[in-house]
Amino acid sequence: MNTSPSEQIVRRNRFDAMKKLFGRARRLADSGTHGFVLVILMVCGLQFLLSALFALPWGGLVSANCRWDCAWYEQIMRSGYSALPHFDPDQAGKADWAFFPLYPLFARQLALLLPFGFLTTGLLLNLALWPLLIFLCHRELELRGITINRLTFALFFALFPLNIWYTAQYSEAIYGVALMAAIIALRENRVPLAAVCVFLLSLSRPTGFILTLCLAGWRMTASQDPTASSRKRLSDGLLLIAAGGAALSLFTLYLYGLTGDGFAFAHVQIAWKRHLRFFPLVILYGLLTPALLGFTLSAVLAIVVIVRMWKQSWRLPAILVGTTALLALSSGVVSIERYIFANPLTIQFLACTSLAKPVSTYRKLFLDLVILRIIAINLWYAPTFVLM
Amino acid sequence: MFRTLLIVTLLSFDAFALWRGLHPHVSDTYRDYYIAHTIDLPTFLAREKADLAKNPAVPTSH
């Protein structure tokens, strides 16, 4: 298509203005921690505006983002855990015991201090944690000696299509922050701080304690501190297991008092038709069931990404994401795209591999991300059975 | 010394919670559906409702 010389000049000017803007943002991000934090906040602000724009037809951000499990979190925020399961036909047999307490109870306490409702407070909490998580993910890469441009890294995280749960009323943000903070604390040899982080991690999601076991094993076998004796490493590992176990124990004893079953959080999964099976059979069943095909393809893609992580020497992330995938796929394929592709370690890995390509490919990459993100937002707001 | 004491205390607490978890104090209906998986959902609901009708003051899952 031919364009007139005046149009060409306008386009050229726009391109130069964008280039100048990105140059300034890049310099600000590279100027130090404060500059980087400012850039992350600006990028998250843009992401927030994009989400808010598409949320307008759905009654605004708060109600548009409250989909699927959000109703369970809201119930816990509003009235605590219930002693009995649901008997109504839609939710028969299901109960809120499956949802770990850190996110809903933290949001509930915040709601008592802030002049907003439970759902708004839950959303605000996640909107505050999301920039912190991006910062922690970049910090963790720095500790591993991986250099990546700060601005493009923040942009990748903000535009990544499957980050929608970080700006919804879900426990992903608090879980992600606890996980990355625990890894950073261990890399910096701050084991007591890591113990606090794994306590929070185990209190936020069912996989938290299993990941704590992985982190403890990593600490005991591949310590960051070469001068640490084997006895010290064993002590560090045991402290992590004891701290993570204490969080799980608190919830277990609470549920025992409430329902008579300390492991009700696991037993109630049967109401969602989730029970332990050999995971290749779960994938095979998913491939043969049209309604589960989307989730199953996500599961296959997840396995490919985990293998690539391992091959590229991302050993600890591969173990942590692989364990999460194994646990999730041993009971079903539904929501696997959230468990794996919304995991901060996966986004971090995908950012590093995508941004390692020549700078000339970035324009197409970010354009693709914007389009996919808009599709993801709308699939979430609709809501559909594609993203859960 | 403090760290060892802390680890021992926390692990003892964890062991106690594990023991509690392994010994649930629940009704037969609850056990059959949620733990043993020997009855299906409609049977569970029918039995829970029957138990509730017999004794409405007591939550049947306990």
Side-chain angles (χ1 to χ4, degrees), chain A residues 131-148:
Chain A
L132 174 64
L133 181 62
I134 298 175
F135 180 80
L136 290 177
C137 285
H138 189 270
R139 174 79 188 128
E140 201 265 340
L141 285 177
E142 280 182 340
L143 288 172
R144 283 159 61 190
I146 298 173
T147 312
I148 190 163

Side-chain angles (χ1 to χ4, degrees), chain A residues 79-199:
Chain A
S79 48
Y81 286 93
S82 59
L84 291 171
H86 282 262
F87 292 111
D88 52 296
D90 290 344
Q91 308 281 8
K94 294 176 185 173
D96 49 18
W97 316 320
F99 300 91
F100 273 45
L102 185 64
Y103 170 67
L105 296 188
F106 192 16
R108 181 187 161 106
Q109 292 308 310
L110 265 182
L112 297 177
L113 302 171
L114 300 174
F116 306 111
F118 291 116
L119 284 181
T120 309
T121 310
L123 183 67
L124 286 175
L125 173 62
N126 283 352
L127 290 177
L129 289 172
W130 175 229
L132 174 64
L133 181 62
I134 298 175
F135 180 80
L136 290 177
C137 285
H138 189 270
R139 174 79 188 128
E140 201 265 340
L141 285 177
E142 280 182 340
L143 288 172
R144 283 159 61 190
I146 298 173
T147 312
I148 190 163
N149 182 279
R150 289 175 161 184
L151 173 67
T152 45
F153 183 79
L155 268 174
F156 187 95
F157 258 72
L159 294 175
F160 186 71
L162 295 178
N163 69 19
I164 45 174
W165 294 281
Y166 289 98
T167 49
Q169 294 91 337
Y170 266 57
S171 60
E172 252 65 21
I174 211 158
Y175 175 79
V177 166
L179 175 64
M180 295 313 296
I183 296 172
I184 290 170
L186 286 176
R187 288 200 188 280
E188 291 180 336
N189 289 312
R190 295 158 78 182
V191 180
L193 178 64
V196 174
C197 295
V198 295
F199 178 87

